């Protein structure tokens, strides 16, 4: 499989997150404040809630359901720290955000 188009760079602003579907799966696109666009699994590792329904302050993604928090650059769990978001390889070509979905599976954690 190769990189496929996920969205346009203009589809979100720096400091925002948005969810897009590609290859039959939802992917969360996050633009950290002062950073580069990254892409993660779209659902919370806790109980499968869409993370796009949560909050994002430019640094931390916060799930709306039980306030689990994730570092927006790495996907690492901030609270709790024993979980993480699966990260997708992406690249930017012109205005296109491309993603590679093969080999990436959503991660889930204890409850
Ligand atoms: S489902 Fe996200 S914190 Fe519980």
């Amino acid at each position: 499989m190769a990189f496929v188009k996920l969205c346009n760079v203009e589809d979100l602003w720096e400091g925002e997150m948005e969810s897009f579907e590609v290859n039959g799966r939802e992917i969360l696109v996050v633009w950290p404040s002062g950073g580069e666009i990254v892409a993660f699994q779209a659902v919370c590792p806790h109980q499968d809630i869409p993370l796009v329904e949560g909050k994002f302050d430019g640094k931390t993604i916060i799930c709306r359901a039980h306030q689990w928090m994730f570092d927006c650059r790495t996907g690492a769990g901030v609270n709790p720290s024993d979980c993480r978001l699966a990260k997708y390889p992406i690249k930017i070509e012109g205005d296109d955000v491309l993603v590679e979905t093969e080999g990436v599976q959503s991660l889930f954690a204890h409850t």
Side-chain angles (χ1 to χ4, degrees), residues 62-77:
I62 306 172
C63 180
R64 70 165 171 80
H66 313 98
Q67 283 71 54
W68 282 23
M69 302 166 74
F70 306 91
D71 182 298
C72 75
R73 294 173 193 248
T74 65

Side-chain angles (χ1 to χ4, degrees), residues 3 7-8 13 29 32 41-42 44 52 55 59-60 72 81 111:
F3 280 85
C7 64
N8 292 316
W13 295 95
V29 181
Q41 68 184 67
C44 182
V52 73
K55 293 182 183 165
K59 291 183 178 176
T60 306
C72 75
S81 59
T111 54

Side-chain angles (χ1 to χ4, degrees), residues 4 6 14 30 35 37-39 44 49 54 63 65-66 73 108:
V4 293
L6 177 57
E14 184 177 333
V30 181
I37 292 174
V38 287
C44 182
I49 297 290
C63 180
H66 313 98
R73 294 173 193 248
F108 292 95

Side-chain angles (χ1 to χ4, degrees), residues 9 11-17 30-37 56 58 73:
V9 171
D11 286 334
L12 69 167
W13 295 95
E14 184 177 333
E16 288 185 341
M17 63 179 177
V30 181
W31 192 341
S33 296
E36 304 291 327
I37 292 174
F56 179 50
R73 294 173 193 248

